[in-house]
Amino acid sequence: MRLRIFELFDIILLISMLLLITIGVVFIYSSSVNSSGISISNEYVRQIIFGSLGLILMAAAAIVDYRKLVKQAPKLFIAMVVILLYTAFFGRVVNGARSWLGIGNMGVQPSEFGKIVYIFFLAWYFERTDKVSSRKRFITSLCIMGVPLVLILLQPDLGTASVYIPIFLVMCFMAGIPLRYLLMVILTGILTIVCTVLPVWETEILQRSVPILKVLTDQRLRFIVIAAMGTITLIGIMGYMLFKNKYYYWIAYSFGIMTVALTMAIVASRVLKPYQIQRLIIFIDPESDPLGAGWNIIQSKIAIGSGNIFGQGFLQGIQSHLRFLPQQSTDFIFSILSEEWGFVGGCIVFLLYLIILFRIISIIRRTKNLYGYYVASGILAMFFFHFIVNVGMVMGIMPITGIPLMFLSYGGSSLWTGMLCVGVLMGINFHQQSEFVYS
């Protein structure tokens, strides 16, 4: 079939992405300028290079028929697991996480590219098991997610690991997995986080002992509670198998969630570093540690608030140029933008992201190929989660997890991942009317 170039490249998606990348380069440059008006970093130059190379990757991803890569999904997933395993033990440490591979100043973050592979493999599994029972599909897909999740947490990179969960939930929902199974994952995750951070909250923020929290701080008592809840869960499972009574089912369901959450909280408290756990709760009261864990949120909120409606003007931001904002070219790029362009600038970024998200939804609705349907759904979840968490983080309404603002934040791995996904979406949109038969 003759390639129709203007039909292949989705103009709306392409322009929105390029505008975000351009805005990102502009404010990466702004973040490099100090109080004397001198640029002390060439990150903006690197970002231009990353963006230029990313266009080639995006074009390649759009031109190659994504459906022909279906058979390679299992091999790619195995390769990803091997690379993540190697990175967890032999990777380079950056910002407290052993999540990078490379030489010198040049490096890549495999867990970023792993998101694409994970989406492709999970889509491959759901497409191949369309007639399999929901319970089996859910358990298997949960195991599929668990492998990269555990390897990334070992690095430990909490922010990147957290992105895999909404991808899993959205793709499961689109695959028709019952909501009670998805709710089980959500509740388990929330309870795990709560049980992990409460001891830190007690000592670092509340600074007094709470008797009921002894079950989370006394290891012997915690193991007794886990054993008791695990026993009740098993009784519930056996009761349901013998009598087929929903009463037993919901007992097993409820106590199973609590048992797993308490167990996972023990693992999380040992894997995650104290500062990472404190980040999850400091947004509640950043003033409790204004010069430590709360510094980032306080300075970010000051920067955003000082922007008012139209901002202080390009290169006129005080917080960034006086170096009050840490990681200002990556995690807190939106803070700089809001300080210098104000509420109007923030609305422009919001609008561009909304255009991309609604364009992806449009592609999903028109896609006839089941594999493409699942892949586009996973990409939608990834883009939305990156956006909502990063913006919420810099505004002080969500925990600081180190998730970059895709297309704006500095970094080749994140930018290339986003641009590859846009290329895949273009390919799905272009090929959606074609028929494809697996051999």
Side-chain angles (χ1 to χ4, degrees):
M1 180 175 64
R2 186 168 59 88
L3 184 64
R4 302 183 297 277
I5 192 70
F6 291 106
E7 293 182 17
L8 175 61
F9 294 104
D10 189 312
I11 300 301
I12 297 176
L13 202 55
L14 180 62
I15 291 176
S16 300
M17 180 197 71
L18 289 177
L19 285 174
L20 284 172
I21 293 173
T22 302
I23 292 172
V25 171
V26 167
F27 283 99
I28 290 170
Y29 170 76
S30 178
S31 72
S32 71
V33 176
N34 62 18
S35 57
S36 302
I38 301 172
S39 176
I40 58 175
S41 170
N42 64 348
E43 285 183 343
Y44 67 97
V45 177
R46 293 183 185 180
Q47 191 75 351
I48 293 172
I49 296 172
F50 292 150
S52 302
L53 295 175
L55 287 174
I56 300 174
L57 295 175
M58 183 202 72
I63 292 171
V64 175
D65 192 339
Y66 72 97
R67 298 167 299 181
K68 295 181 180 179
L69 297 175
V70 175
K71 290 183 179 180
Q72 306 304 319
K75 296 178 183 177
L76 290 172
F77 185 76
I78 293 172
M80 178 196 75
V81 170
V82 172
I83 293 172
L84 288 178
L85 186 62
Y86 177 85
T87 305
F89 290 98
F90 304 105
R92 194 170 64 195
V93 178
V94 177
N95 294 327
R98 192 179 298 278
S99 56
W100 290 78
L101 293 177
I103 301 174
N105 293 327
M106 300 301 294
V108 296
Q109 195 172 2
S111 54
E112 285 288 339
F113 298 105
K115 299 171 192 173
I116 305 176
V117 177
Y118 171 66
I119 289 171
F120 270 66
F121 183 64
L122 195 56
W124 170 85
Y125 173 74
F126 281 142
E127 192 276 337
R128 289 299 179 99
T129 58
D130 194 43
K131 305 299 181 183
V132 178
S133 69
S134 294
R135 182 181 300 176
K136 184 177 180 181
R137 296 177 89 199
F138 171 72
I139 294 173
T140 305
S141 61
L142 193 62
C143 293
I144 292 172
M145 177 188 67
V147 174
L149 197 66
V150 169
L151 292 176
I152 295 171
L153 286 175
L154 284 175
Q155 296 177 0
D157 187 350
L158 179 62
T160 304
S162 65
V163 181
Y164 284 70
I165 299 174
I167 293 173
F168 165 80
L169 292 172
V170 171
M171 292 183 70
C172 281
F173 176 78
M174 302 301 276
I177 301 296
L179 288 176
R180 66 180 182 275
Y181 293 150
L182 304 184
L183 186 62
M184 182 191 302
V185 175
I186 295 171
L187 291 177
T188 301
I190 292 173
L191 279 176
T192 299
I193 294 172
V194 170
C195 292
T196 303
V197 303
L198 276 180
V200 179
W201 171 78
E202 181 187 45
T203 56
E204 300 295 332
I205 294 181
L206 191 62
Q207 296 183 346
R208 63 182 177 84
S209 178
V210 179
I212 196 173
L213 294 183
K214 192 173 181 181
V215 70
L216 300 177
T217 55
D218 187 321
Q219 294 299 324
R220 183 171 176 272
L221 180 59
R222 178 184 282 195
F223 281 119
I224 292 173
V225 172
I226 290 174
M229 288 187 173
T231 302
I232 295 173
T233 302
L234 290 175
I235 292 173
I237 293 173
M238 289 187 293
Y240 180 71
M241 292 175 64
L242 292 173
F243 305 107
K244 302 299 179 183
N245 191 314
K246 285 290 184 180
Y247 173 77
Y248 291 104
Y249 175 87
W250 290 112
I251 287 177
Y253 185 93
S254 304
F255 281 89
I257 289 173
M258 290 186 284
T259 303
V260 174
L262 282 172
T263 305
M264 290 179 63
I266 296 176
V267 178
S269 62
R270 294 175 185 243
V271 171
L272 298 177
K273 299 183 184 301
Y275 76 88
Q276 289 177 312
I277 298 176
Q278 195 168 358
R279 279 180 177 180
L280 295 174
I281 53 174
I282 197 64
F283 78 100
I284 299 172
D285 183 17
E287 296 294 340
S288 64
D289 189 12
L291 299 179
W295 174 266
N296 295 0
I297 295 177
I298 293 172
Q299 299 306 317
S300 178
K301 290 167 72 174
I302 292 173
I304 293 174
S306 65
N308 293 314
I309 302 298
F310 298 104
Q312 298 185 15
F314 182 59
L315 298 181
Q316 301 303 312
I318 297 174
Q319 295 299 112
S320 59
H321 300 309
L322 292 180
R323 324 312 292 178
F324 286 120
L325 278 172
Q327 305 295 330
Q328 53 190 26
S329 65
T330 52
D331 297 349
F332 291 90
I333 191 75
F334 188 78
S335 303
I336 301 176
L337 182 146
S338 298
E339 184 180 27
E340 298 187 0
W341 277 9
F343 178 76
V344 173
C347 286
I348 292 172
V349 171
F350 270 63
L351 179 61
L352 290 172
Y353 272 105
L354 284 175
I355 290 172
I356 290 176
L357 294 175
F358 278 111
R359 190 60 184 162
I360 299 174
I361 293 172
S362 176
I363 291 172
I364 292 171
R365 292 180 63 183
R366 293 202 313 269
T367 299
K368 297 178 181 179
N369 181 274
L370 193 58
Y371 183 70
Y373 175 81
Y374 291 140
V375 169
S377 300
I379 294 174
L380 173 67
M382 182 178 72
F383 280 7
F384 177 77
F385 189 75
H386 267 269
F387 172 69
I388 203 72
V389 171
N390 181 273
V391 172
M393 175 183 77
V394 300
M395 289 182 176
I397 58 176
M398 295 189 76
I400 295 179
T401 53
I403 294 178
L405 187 55
M406 198 162 278
F407 302 124
L408 265 77
S409 294
Y410 169 74
S413 297
S414 174
L415 183 60
W416 287 344
T417 299
M419 297 182 80
L420 278 169
C421 286
V422 168
V424 171
L425 289 168
M426 290 180 178
I428 293 173
N429 188 46
F430 179 71
H431 296 290
Q432 60 93 13
Q433 292 182 344
S434 305
E435 295 295 331
F436 186 80
V437 179
Y438 297 104
S439 58

